[in-house]
Amino acid sequence: VVDGSKTQQLVFFINPGAGGFAGTVVIDYIAFGEEPEGIIASDVFQDHFDVDSSLTSFTSIGGGYTLTRNGSELVVTGDGTTTMWDPLGYTIRNPNTWEPTDIDVSDNNKLFIKVKSSAENTALRIDVQDIDGFVNTQGSVTKIVGTEFQVIEYNYAGTYSDLGFGGTPCTMNTAP
């Protein structure tokens, strides 16, 4: 079972079962906790992508993707060669020291993301991974992204059941 009190990473999938994404997904911010109102502030975790070091939070980038920053927006560009289930791994880091850290989302397990895509009906799946490498693959949450900015809520309540394959973390060797 995924430990929501020790969330360490987010795993992004764009059109996960399709592959070949040729377009852009633009993220204005991500925030765990309560829905942002006015000034975006979360007592759990947030990233506004307003500094270049935000790009280095992506510790794994699937083939065919490039990441750039446009002002305070993260731009994920797919060149059409992406394969199915090619992830973008985002490591949660302390906003002051930029050291990897874990956060507790077990009580307040909603993720809000302000996002848009250049392609209609882009599917964006975001999984939560804990410090032991367990990912909420059995209770994954996928949302459809439009071509205009919108705030999308991902609710992980009740989804912390990892496929795990015999109690082992989901890795490249044990992935479904």
Side-chain angles (χ1 to χ4, degrees):
V1 174
V2 176
D3 186 350
S5 70
K6 298 191 181 302
T7 298
Q8 177 187 27
Q9 188 173 36
L10 300 174
V11 184
F12 292 76
F13 296 96
I14 299 172
N15 292 340
F21 180 72
T24 59
V25 170
V26 181
I27 303 172
D28 187 49
Y29 64 79
I30 56 173
F32 262 107
E34 298 173 358
E35 184 170 3
E37 292 181 21
I39 298 174
I40 304 162
S42 169
D43 57 353
V44 179
F45 179 78
Q46 62 194 8
D47 191 342
H48 299 272
F49 301 106
D50 52 357
V51 292
D52 285 338
S53 54
S54 289
L55 294 177
T56 61
S57 293
F58 285 88
T59 53
S60 64
I61 301 171
Y65 289 115
T66 56
L67 302 179
T68 55
R69 219 172 43 81
N70 180 14
S72 65
E73 298 171 351
L74 172 73
V75 181
V76 180
T77 304
D79 66 5
T81 65
T82 59
T83 60
M84 291 191 301
W85 303 105
D86 219 351
L88 298 160
Y90 176 89
T91 299
I92 295 170
R93 300 187 307 160
N94 180 302
N96 299 315
T97 65
W98 294 107
E99 293 295 317
T101 189
D102 57 279
I103 60 174
D104 184 352
V105 299
S106 56
D107 290 332
N108 202 343
N109 46 30
K110 292 181 180 178
L111 172 71
F112 296 90
I113 180 169
K114 186 174 180 184
V115 63
K116 69 178 179 178
S117 176
S118 64
E120 279 287 343
N121 300 316
T122 298
L124 181 60
R125 172 176 160 169
I126 304 175
D127 291 348
V128 175
Q129 180 175 344
D130 70 14
I131 62 171
D132 295 321
F134 288 95
V135 185
N136 70 314
T137 49
Q138 193 169 2
S140 64
V141 181
T142 302
K143 301 286 184 168
I144 301 299
V145 177
T147 57
E148 300 292 326
F149 270 122
Q150 64 193 91
V151 177
I152 298 175
E153 174 186 317
Y154 287 78
N155 187 339
Y156 295 97
T159 68
Y160 294 123
S161 185
D162 184 83
L163 289 174
F165 303 99
T168 60
C170 183
T171 65
M172 290 299 282
N173 295 331
T174 62

